[in-house]
C-alpha cells in the first residue's frame, strides 16, 4: 500500500468517525442522522445521494481535517464519499434501497472565510481549493450525457473489455486519454455495448458577478460552472446562486503547440439558489429604531420623496410615485394559477433637458438590483432572452437578457422612444405576465422576469406639441401604454420665477465642495474605492440623516427636516419590502377603491388616458405600496386617498392644446375680452375648448412644481379659507393670460395640502364675479380687464 492509499484510508476513517458520532448533535439535534434517513426515504424519487456538511461542525470536530478539506479537496472528497457510502450501507434496509447505486456525493456549506469570492476575485491562488462563488446565471447549456465507462465486445475472440474515462472534472485518479478504442491489442475490431456503458449528465452554467457588486465602468466578470449528476438543471438563466466547488485549470486546445495560458472552471459539488433577502442589507438595532421612528411620522412619504433625488429641483409628485415603485405592491398567486403582478411600471415623457435621465439615475442609485439600458443600445432578445450557439461545442445555449437578469429588481430604459417597434413588442409579455417564453431552436422554456420598468422617452417630434393629444405626442401603441401604471408628462415651461429658482439650485451644486476636497481632479480608482466603501458601509452602522446644505439641496423651506441619507433610504425600502410584503386590504379601503374606479370610468374630467381594468389594478398596487412605505400590515383609507391624488394628477391633467406660438398671447387676450362682452359670438365654442385645455395645463404645472408655489414639505392638511381661494384664483389667472378653471384651482389647493370642496370654490368665484373681478363661462373663468 503506497502513501496515497494510506492517506485516503486515514481520511476515510476520520470522516466516518465524524458521521457516526454525528458531531454537533447536541446543539443541532442529530442533523446528519436525519439527513441520511431523509435521503433513504426519498431515494425512490430523487435517485440521488448528496449529504450537506456544515464546515463549522467539521472545524469543531477536527481543525486539521477542516483545513485539509479547504486546501486539498481533491484528496479529501473521494475519501469522504467512501465514508458516506459505508455509513449509509450500515443503515437498516439501505442495501435493498441503494442496490446498484454507485454515486455518493458530499457538498459543503457554512463559512468559507477567504474562499468566499465573486467571479472577479477568482485568481491563481484559488486553483485546487474549495471555494464558494456567488453570482447570477447568464448562460446555460443543454444537459448532455458524458461517458465515464465504455464496454466493448470483440466478435472475433469473444472477449469483453472495458475502459474508464476521467477528465479534469474527475477527483479520482489522473485524467485518461480520450481516444475511443475501435480495435484491441491484436488489431481485431471492437463493438461498443452502449447498454452496458456508464454515462452521467453534464451541464455548464456561466455565472456572472452580481450587478450591484460590479465596479462601475468595467465589464462584469464571469466563470464557467460544471454541473454533473443530480446537480444538472439546478439553476436557470436569471437565477442568483451560490456555487461550492473546486477551482481547476483546463489546458488549452492547441494543435502542435501548447500555450501557457490556461482557462479555469469551477467543478461544482453544490448549488444553492439565493432568495431576495440573501442579498439584502444587514440591519442593526439602531437601524430598527430609526426605521420605526421614521415610519411613525405622518409625512413619511414626503420625506422619502424629498430624499430620493434632492439634487433635482421640484417634481415632488414624480418622486413620490418612484418611491412607491421601489416599494412595490403585493404579488399574488391565486389557487387557479393566475399570477397578479405587484411590480409597478413608470414612463416619463417630456421635453429635452427636464431631468428625465437623472431621475432614472436616482432610481438606479437606490434600487438594490437595477439593470440599465437604452432604447437604441438594446434589442428585443437583448432585453428578454436569446438562444446562441456555443463556439466550443457548437450546441445551442440559452442566454438571459436584461429583464431576466433584473428579476426581483428594476430595469431602467432610457431613450425608450428610439426602440424599434419589433423590439418593443418583445417586452409586452414581461411587463404584464412577468415571464419570458422561449420557443426557438428546439428550446421551449419559460424564464422569470419579475421586474419593474422605468422608462424615459422624448415626444415623437422632439419637443412636446401642445396642440395634439398625449397619445399622439408619445407615439407608442395603446397596448404598451396601458402596461405602464404611471405616466408623467414633464414639460419645460417658461416661468421667470421658477427658472431663477432652478438656476440658483444648479449653481449651488456647482459651488458645493465636500469636506476634504482640495479641488484636484478625482481619479477613477479613487471613485471605485469610495463606492466599495459605501457598499461596505451599508452593512454597518448607518446614519439616518445628513446635514442640510443649501448649496446642495437648494434654499431650505421653513419647517423642512434634514434629508435622509442614501444608505438609510436603501435600508428603509428593503425593510419595507421584506417585512411588510403582503399588506391586507381592509373593507373600507376596498369600498373606496371600487367607488373611485367607478367615478373615474364615468368622469368627464379624465382626458389624458383611457380608464381600463388595468387602471384598477394600478390603484390596488399603489395603495399596497403606500401601506408598505408606512410599514403597515393593512391598507387603510388614507392610503387610498393619497394614491387618488397621484392618479388624479396623471389622468385628469392633459397639457395638450394649451399654448400657441409665442407672440399670440395678447391677441388671445383680446379675444377673451371680446367674448366676455358678447356671449353670442359664433366663435365661442372653439375658444372654450382651447381655454379649457390651457387651464388643465396650469393645474398640471402647479402640481408638478409645488415648491415653486410655496408648499412646505412635512406640513399636514389645513382648512381652507376664502382668502386662500381668492389668492389662488388671481395667481392662476395672471400666470395663464387671464384664464383658469375650477379644476385647476382645486388641484392647486390640494397640492399645497389645503382641504377644499368644489362648492367652496364656486361660492368664492360667484362673489368675485358679482364684484366684476372675473367672468364665469361654465367650468372656466377669466379675469376682468
Amino acid at each position: 500500500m503506497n502513501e496515497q492509499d494510506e492517506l485516503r484510508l486515514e481520511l476515510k476513517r476520520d470522516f466516518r468517525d465524524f458521521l457516526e458520532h454525528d458531531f454537533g448533535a447536541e446543539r443541532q439535534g442529530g442533523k446528519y442522522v436525519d439527513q441520511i434517513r431523509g435521503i433513504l426515504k426519498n431515494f425512490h424519487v430523487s435517485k440521488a445521494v448528496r449529504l450537506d456538511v456544515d464546515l463549522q461542525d467539521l472545524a469543531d470536530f477536527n481543525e486539521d481535517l477542516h483545513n485539509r478539506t479547504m486546501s486539498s479537496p481533491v484528496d479529501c472528497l473521494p475519501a469522504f464519499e467512501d465514508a458516506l457510502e459505508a455509513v449509509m450501507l450500515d443503515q437498516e434496509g439501505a442495501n435493498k434501497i441503494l442496490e446498484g447505486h454507485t454515486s455518493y456525493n458530499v457538498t459543503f456549506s457554512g463559512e468559507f472565510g477567504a474562499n468566499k469570492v465573486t467571479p472577479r476575485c477568482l485568481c491563481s491562488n484559488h486553483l485546487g481549493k474549495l471555494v464558494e462563488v456567488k453570482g447570477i446565471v447568464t448562460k446555460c447549456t443543454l444537459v448532455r450525457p458524458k461517458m465515464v465507462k465504455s464496454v466493448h465486445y470483440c466478435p472475433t475472440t469473444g472477449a469483453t473489455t472495458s475502459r474508464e474515462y476521467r477528465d479534469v472534472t474527475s477527483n479520482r485518479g489522473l485524467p485518461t486519454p480520450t481516444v475511443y478504442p475501435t480495435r484491441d491489442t491484436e488489431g481485431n475490431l471492437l463493438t461498443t455495448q452502449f447498454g452496458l456503458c456508464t454515462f452521467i449528465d453534464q451541464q455548464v452554467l456561466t455565472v456572472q458577478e452580481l450587478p450591484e457588486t460590479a465596479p462601475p465602468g468595467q465589464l462584469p466578470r464571469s466563470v464557467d460552472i460544471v454541473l454533473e449528476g443530480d446537480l444538472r438543471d439546478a439553476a436557470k438563466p436569471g437565477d442568483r446562486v451560490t456555487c461550492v466547488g473546486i477551482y481547476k485549470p483546463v489546458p488549452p486546445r492547441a494543435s502542435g503547440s501548447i500555450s501557457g495560458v490556461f482557462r479555469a472552471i469551477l467543478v461544482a459539488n453544490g448549488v444553492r439558489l439565493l432568495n431576495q433577502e440573501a442579498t439584502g442589507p444587514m440591519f442593526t438595532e439602531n437601524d430598527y429604531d430609526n426605521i420605526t421612528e421614521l415610519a411613525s411620522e405622518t409625512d413619511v412619504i414626503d420625506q422619502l420623496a424629498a430624499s430620493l433625488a434632492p439634487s433635482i429641483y421640484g417634481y415632488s409628485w414624480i418622486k413620490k410615485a418612484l418611491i412607491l415603485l421601489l416599494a412595490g405592491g403585493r404579488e399574488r398567486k391565486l389557487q387557479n394559477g393566475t399570477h397578479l403582478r405587484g411590480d409597478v411600471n413608470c414612463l416619463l415623457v417630456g421635453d429635452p433637458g427636464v431631468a428625465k435621465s437623472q431621475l432614472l439615475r436616482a432610481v438606479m442609485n437606490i434600487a438594490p438590483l437595477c439593470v440599465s439600458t437604452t432604447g437604441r443600445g438594446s434589442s428585443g432578445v437583448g432585453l428578454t432572452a436569446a438562444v446562441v450557439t456555443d463556439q466550443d461545442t457548437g450546441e445551442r445555449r440559452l442566454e438571459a437578457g436584461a429583464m431576466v437578469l433584473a428579476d426581483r429588481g428594476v430595469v431602467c430604459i432610457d431613450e425608450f422612444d428610439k426602440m424599434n417597434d419589433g423590439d418593443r413588442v418583445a417586452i409586452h409579455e414581461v411587463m404584464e405576465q412577468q415571464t419570458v417564453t422561449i420557443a426557438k431552436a428546439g428550446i421551449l422554456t419559460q424564464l422569470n422576469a419579475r421586474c419593474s420598468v422605468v422608462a424615459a422617452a422624448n415626444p415623437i417630434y422632439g419637443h412636446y406639441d401642445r396642440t395634439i393629444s398625449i397619445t399622439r405626442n408619445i407615439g407608442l401603441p395603446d397596448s404598451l401604454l396601458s402596461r405602464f401604471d404611471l405616466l408623467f408628462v414633464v414639460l419645460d415651461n417658461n416661468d421667470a420665477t421658477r427658472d431663477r429658482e432652478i438656476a440658483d439650485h444648479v449653481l449651488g451644486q456647482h459651488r458645493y465642495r465636500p469636506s476634504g476636497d482640495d479641488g484636484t481632479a478625482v481619479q477613477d480608482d479613487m471613485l471605485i474605492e469610495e463606492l466599495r466603501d459605501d457598499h461596505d458601509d451599508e452593512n454597518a452602522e448607518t446614519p439616518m440623516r445628513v446635514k442640510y446644505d443649501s448649496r446642495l439641496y437648494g434654499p431650505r423651506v421653513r419647517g423642512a427636516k434634514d434629508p435622509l441619507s442614501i444608505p438609510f433610504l436603501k435600508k428603509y425600502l428593503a425593510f419595507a419590502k421584506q417585512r411588510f410584503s403582503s399588506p391586507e386590504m381592509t373593507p373600507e379601503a376596498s369600498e373606496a377603491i371600487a367607488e373611485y374606479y367607478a367615478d373615474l370610468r364615468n368622469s368627464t374630467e379624465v382626458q389624458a388616458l383611457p380608464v381600463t381594468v388595468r387602471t384598477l389594478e394600478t390603484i390596488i398596487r399603489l395603495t399596497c405600496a403606500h401601506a408598505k412605505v408606512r410599514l403597515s400590515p393593512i391598507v387603510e383609507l388614507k392610503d387610498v386617498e393619497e394614491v387618488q391624488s397621484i392618479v388624479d394628477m396623471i389622468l385628469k391633467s392633459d397639457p395638450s392644446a394649451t399654448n400657441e406660438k409665442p407672440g399670440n398671447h395678447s391677441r388671445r387676450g383680446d379675444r377673451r375680452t371680446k367674448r366676455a362682452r358678447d356671449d353670442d359670438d359664433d366663435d365661442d365654442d372653439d375658444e372654450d375648448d382651447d381655454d379649457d385645455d390651457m387651464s388643465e395645463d396650469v393645474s398640471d404645472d402647479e402640481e408638478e412644481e409645488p415648491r415653486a408655489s410655496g408648499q412646505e414639505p412635512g406640513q399636514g392638511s389645513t382648512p381652507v379659507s376664502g382668502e386662500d381661494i381668492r389668492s389662488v384664483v388671481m395667481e392662476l389667472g395672471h400666470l395663464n393670460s387671464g384664464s383658469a378653471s375650477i379644476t385647476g384651482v382645486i388641484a392647486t389647493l390640494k397640492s399645497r395640502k389645503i382641504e377644499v370642496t368644489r362648492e367652496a370654490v364656486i361660492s368664492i368665484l360667484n362673489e368675485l364675479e358679482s364684484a366684476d373681478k372675473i367672468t364665469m363661462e361654465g367650468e372656466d373663468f377669466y379675469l376682468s380687464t
Side-chain angles (χ1 to χ4, degrees), residues 395-458:
E395 66 181 17
R396 300 285 186 175
R397 63 191 302 177
L398 200 59
E399 185 170 352
M403 290 187 164
V404 178
L405 295 179
D407 186 35
R408 299 297 186 187
V410 180
V411 175
C412 293
I413 307 176
D414 203 359
E415 305 294 342
F416 190 66
D417 55 304
K418 307 301 188 299
M419 290 182 64
N420 296 328
D421 294 338
D423 297 334
R424 275 197 293 260
V425 171
I427 67 176
H428 282 204
E429 179 191 5
V430 177
M431 294 185 64
E432 191 61 38
Q433 309 302 327
Q434 296 197 308
T435 56
V436 175
T437 303
I438 297 296
K440 301 177 182 179
I443 298 178
L444 181 60
T445 185
Q446 193 174 67
L447 306 177
N448 289 326
R450 297 159 294 186
C451 59
S452 298
V453 178
V454 185
N458 292 113

Side-chain angles (χ1 to χ4, degrees), residues 5 69 72 94 143 149 157 196 232 284 361 403 496 559 562 570 574 624 639 657 761:
D5 295 336
T69 302
S72 302
V143 178
K149 182 180 179 181
T157 62
L196 301 177
R232 82 278 185 264
T284 62
R361 302 292 295 184
M403 290 187 164
D562 290 338
K570 293 181 180 180
C624 291
D639 299 314
V761 175

Side-chain angles (χ1 to χ4, degrees), residues 147-152 161-165 180-181 192 197-198:
M147 181 179 289
V148 295
K149 182 180 179 181
S150 62
V151 179
H152 307 275
T161 59
S162 63
R163 173 175 294 186
E164 294 184 355
Y165 303 92
Y180 192 77
T192 303
C197 296
T198 304

Side-chain angles (χ1 to χ4, degrees), residues 128-204:
K129 296 182 180 180
L130 189 68
V131 297
E132 181 186 45
V133 177
K134 181 187 295 184
I136 184 170
V137 180
T138 57
K139 298 179 183 179
C140 177
T141 65
L142 300 178
V143 178
R144 300 290 188 183
K146 186 181 76 170
M147 181 179 289
V148 295
K149 182 180 179 181
S150 62
V151 179
H152 307 275
Y153 173 73
C154 180
T156 304
T157 62
T160 302
T161 59
S162 63
R163 173 175 294 186
E164 294 184 355
Y165 303 92
R166 295 185 297 271
D167 55 10
V168 70
T169 63
S170 177
N171 296 325
R172 296 176 181 268
L174 297 175
T176 60
T178 57
V179 178
Y180 192 77
T182 57
R183 295 179 181 271
D184 59 8
T185 56
E186 299 178 356
N188 299 318
L189 292 174
L190 296 176
T191 303
T192 303
Q193 303 297 316
F194 289 100
L196 301 177
C197 296
T198 304
F199 296 87
I200 61 172
D201 294 330
Q202 187 181 61
Q203 187 182 27
V204 180

Side-chain angles (χ1 to χ4, degrees), residues 765-781:
L765 291 178
N766 290 333
E767 293 179 5
L768 294 176
E769 186 177 25
S770 300
D772 293 332
K773 293 185 177 181
I774 63 172
T775 301
M776 294 290 297
E777 286 190 6
E779 292 290 319
D780 301 331
F781 61 86

Side-chain angles (χ1 to χ4, degrees), residues 731-751:
E731 180 182 349
L732 293 184
H734 289 299
L735 283 175
N736 204 35
S737 302
S739 69
S741 66
I742 299 176
T743 304
V745 174
I746 296 175
T748 303
L749 290 171
K750 286 186 176 181
S751 68

Side-chain angles (χ1 to χ4, degrees), residues 469-489:
S469 64
I470 288 182
T471 54
R472 290 182 60 189
N473 266 290
I474 298 174
L476 298 177
D478 294 338
S479 59
L480 182 60
L481 285 180
S482 64
R483 286 171 164 81
F484 283 102
D485 303 285
L486 303 167
L487 193 153
F488 292 98
V489 177

